[in-house]
Amino acid sequence: MDKETLIAGLIKDGYLKTPRVIEAFRAVDRKDFVPEADKNSAYENIPLLIGYSQTISQPLTVAFMLELLEPRGGEKILDIGSGSGWQMTLLAFLVKDEEIKTGKIVAIERIPELKKFAEENISRYPDLKPVVRLELGDGSFGFSDEAPFDKIIAAAAAEKIPTAWKEQLKIGGRIVAPVKDSIIVLDKISKEEFTPRQYFGFDFVPLIGA
Ligand code: SAH
């Protein structure tokens, strides 16, 4: 499968909807984020191994979660479990689109070798690299140095949404994260109140943390 066939399929199946997100999928090439051995499978709609028992997420899952997150130019977004860096770089593309002020992606990965892999991969996008701050650490605590965030997205499934994420989110902000085998969307409507939505039928690697 080639890139345009993958994108056309994601549009036809209703996973990709917003022109800007479709543009991001065209601009940030999944092939740049998969290991050498799997370059030929880069546009298959499946997760692929990136080492250390981790995967680059399935394109339909990334499309679905980005559409739920609704990233906008100028926003500051926390990306937990950056893995290959594909979603992190898609997010950088989506928040950079702003003439007045550019946004920022704060990304956290717990495996040093994958952090390095993501750094190498995003280097192919010199205009997007400065939009991202990539840190090694346990993302289950969020990243208080950079809080509050407009949005938070995670690629590894927790048992429940960590309290730190809720605290580090701006009022009016949104969390999109896997919990067990579902995707949860939380809209923060006041300091203590969240409106939840839940979508079933997905597979994620576990969030390993406190
Ligand atoms: N968005 C990534 C998906 C990577 S899979 C991509 O596009 O490639 C999920 C990642 O979460 C893995 O790399 C795993 O190492 C990482 N992870 C798991 N628990 C974590 C934690 N507590 N803090 C930070 N990263 C974590």
Side-chain angles (χ1 to χ4, degrees):
M1 191 148 52
D2 63 16
K3 185 161 71 174
E4 280 311 313
T5 310
L6 171 68
I7 291 170
L10 292 170
I11 295 170
K12 182 177 148 286
D13 295 340
Y15 291 104
L16 279 178
K17 294 177 190 155
T18 313
R20 188 75 192 143
V21 179
I22 296 167
E23 210 183 311
F25 264 66
R26 290 213 167 90
V28 180
D29 197 327
R30 192 170 189 249
K31 200 169 192 169
D32 290 333
F33 297 85
V34 305
E36 269 324 307
D38 270 337
K39 294 282 187 206
N40 287 339
S41 309
Y43 307 124
E44 301 299 323
N45 198 355
I46 50 171
L48 296 168
L49 290 170
I50 54 173
Y52 315 92
S53 308
Q54 306 303 322
T55 55
I56 177 170
S57 309
Q58 187 174 3
L60 76 80
T61 307
V62 175
F64 188 69
M65 291 181 84
L66 287 179
E67 290 286 359
L68 288 171
L69 193 69
E70 298 179 11
R72 295 189 206 293
E75 286 182 340
K76 189 182 203 181
I77 300 182
L78 180 62
D79 180 50
I80 292 153
S82 54
S84 69
W86 183 41
Q87 178 169 283
M88 166 185 99
T89 308
L90 286 163
L91 287 165
F93 180 92
L94 289 163
V95 302
K96 188 171 186 281
D97 174 46
E98 183 69 63
E99 276 159 28
I100 314 144
K101 94 181 203 300
T102 197
K104 183 170 188 177
I105 304 304
V106 180
I108 311 183
E109 172 54 52
R110 60 178 284 274
I111 299 176
E113 291 84 354
L114 289 180
K115 175 182 177 257
K116 195 160 161 275
F117 183 52
E119 268 162 3
E120 286 164 14
N121 294 339
I122 198 176
S123 297
R124 299 191 181 95
Y125 298 82
D127 56 325
L128 297 179
K129 201 171 181 192
V131 180
V132 176
R133 173 176 177 184
L134 175 55
E135 293 286 336
L136 188 68
D138 179 357
S140 56
F141 297 109
F143 198 77
S144 54
D145 279 17
E146 292 273 4
F149 299 97
D150 295 293
K151 312 259 167 83
I152 298 177
I153 185 166
E159 284 298 305
K160 68 189 233 331
I161 302 284
T163 312
W165 300 359
K166 293 180 173 180
E167 288 169 357
Q168 292 175 20
L169 188 67
K170 286 183 193 170
I171 293 169
R174 176 173 291 177
I175 297 174
V176 177
V179 171
K180 295 177 185 152
D181 59 354
S182 73
I183 292 170
I184 302 268
V185 181
L186 288 182
D187 286 325
K188 185 164 180 172
I189 53 174
S190 74
K191 198 164 178 295
E192 304 288 342
E193 286 168 293
F194 293 80
T195 311
R197 278 180 282 158
Q198 190 168 19
Y199 300 87
F200 291 94
F202 297 90
D203 265 322
F204 292 94
V205 298
L207 184 81
I208 315 279

